[in-house]
Amino acid sequence: MTASTLETVKTEAELRRELAAVYRLLAHFKMTDLIFTHVSVRIPGPEHHFLINPYGLLFEEITASNLVKIGLDGELVEPSEYRVNPAGFVIHGAIHEAREDAHCVLHTHTKAGCAVAAQEAGLLPLNQISMEFYNRVAYHDYEGIALNTAERERLVADLGAHPALILRNHGMLTLGTTPSEAFLRMFYLEKACDIQIAAQAGGELRVPSHEIAEYTAKQFAGEVTDDFTDDHAYDMAWAALLRLLDRTQPDYKD
């Protein structure tokens, strides 16, 4: 399923609202780690400025206006009443700098994601949802807490051109041209991990062939021509998620 409008260039105000929505949705779907982990988005323009969460706030407290603006060094570039965690931008900054298409970078420490990140085989193509990521998720070996800038080059090399990264013994990361695309990618990567952990608790696993898994991944990416297409699926899913927030916590836009 491909998205038809996710790549539209947006203003800073629009990106603030969209990024705040992502933070609220991560909290709603229980993909948070208290005040830790991050979602960052690049602001259009030559300055290489980014929006990220104010350090110390729960994701359910984040709004469009309290997001902080930082540079590639992870430091504030304009006054804010909130702190920023520069160490939390080590991974994000490296990817933003290396990948022009990485407008948004989303990182999580969920139970299912960390469980799969601890498995030698990584993510298996056990379900249709999992097959979206078949041969399209990269892996980076654990080197300790990501506080060392020397790790950045190795992480970027491992990521390559993939849209998702499993940080072994650590967590998961997705990229997107917008916050909404990165979120939807993470939503389904998380679900794929959850399905895998549940399936492994049962009997012998049935794994589809390489040919079927690869074909399904290409269907998700819109790389094959089928009898039917669904080019607007992710756009409609994102619109439904915004309606959820508008009903339950409309202050994310403030």
Side-chain angles (χ1 to χ4, degrees), residues 113-148:
C114 289
V116 170
Q119 296 182 358
E120 186 63 37
L123 186 66
L124 302 172
L126 300 180
N127 179 270
Q128 177 170 287
I129 290 172
S130 314
M131 286 182 241
E132 176 178 354
F133 302 97
Y134 186 71
N135 285 336
R136 287 154 178 81
V137 60
Y139 295 85
H140 175 66
D141 287 341
Y142 189 65
E143 299 187 25
I145 299 174
L147 301 175
N148 190 341

Side-chain angles (χ1 to χ4, degrees), residues 80-146:
S80 172
E81 63 180 295
Y82 299 102
R83 296 177 55 200
V84 63
N85 179 9
F89 198 62
V90 169
I91 292 173
H92 292 242
I95 296 171
H96 280 301
E97 189 171 17
R99 289 274 299 271
E100 186 62 32
D101 62 321
H103 296 293
C104 183
V105 179
L106 194 163
H107 176 43
T108 60
H109 294 160
T110 62
K111 180 192 287 188
C114 289
V116 170
Q119 296 182 358
E120 186 63 37
L123 186 66
L124 302 172
L126 300 180
N127 179 270
Q128 177 170 287
I129 290 172
S130 314
M131 286 182 241
E132 176 178 354
F133 302 97
Y134 186 71
N135 285 336
R136 287 154 178 81
V137 60
Y139 295 85
H140 175 66
D141 287 341
Y142 189 65
E143 299 187 25
I145 299 174

Side-chain angles (χ1 to χ4, degrees), residues 224-236:
V224 295
T225 302
D226 290 318
D227 294 330
F228 299 96
T229 60
D230 192 359
D231 294 338
H232 301 282
Y234 278 4
D235 285 349
M236 291 190 294

Side-chain angles (χ1 to χ4, degrees), residues 108-123 139 166-172 190 192-198 200:
T108 60
H109 294 160
T110 62
K111 180 192 287 188
C114 289
V116 170
Q119 296 182 358
E120 186 63 37
L123 186 66
Y139 295 85
I166 291 179
L167 299 153
R168 292 192 185 275
N169 310 105
H170 181 175
M172 301 190 297
E190 168 70 11
C193 291
D194 198 32
I195 290 168
Q196 179 164 319
I197 298 303
Q200 289 170 326

Side-chain angles (χ1 to χ4, degrees), residues 21 70 159 173 204 210:
I70 59 176
L159 174 63
L173 186 147
E204 183 178 355
H210 160 74

Side-chain angles (χ1 to χ4, degrees), residues 40-41 43 47-53 67-78 83-86 88-89 92-93 96:
S40 57
V41 64
I43 300 171
E47 298 87 0
H48 292 94
H49 289 167
F50 304 86
L51 296 173
I52 201 167
N53 53 310
L67 290 163
V68 295
K69 189 184 297 188
I70 59 176
L72 269 174
D73 58 0
E75 299 289 347
L76 288 170
V77 296
E78 63 182 24
R83 296 177 55 200
V84 63
N85 179 9
F89 198 62
H92 292 242
H96 280 301

Side-chain angles (χ1 to χ4, degrees), residues 173-194:
L173 186 147
T174 56
L175 282 58
T177 55
T178 65
S180 55
E181 186 174 51
F183 174 80
L184 288 165
R185 192 163 275 150
M186 181 61 76
F187 180 88
Y188 286 107
L189 181 58
E190 168 70 11
K191 188 174 286 290
C193 291
D194 198 32

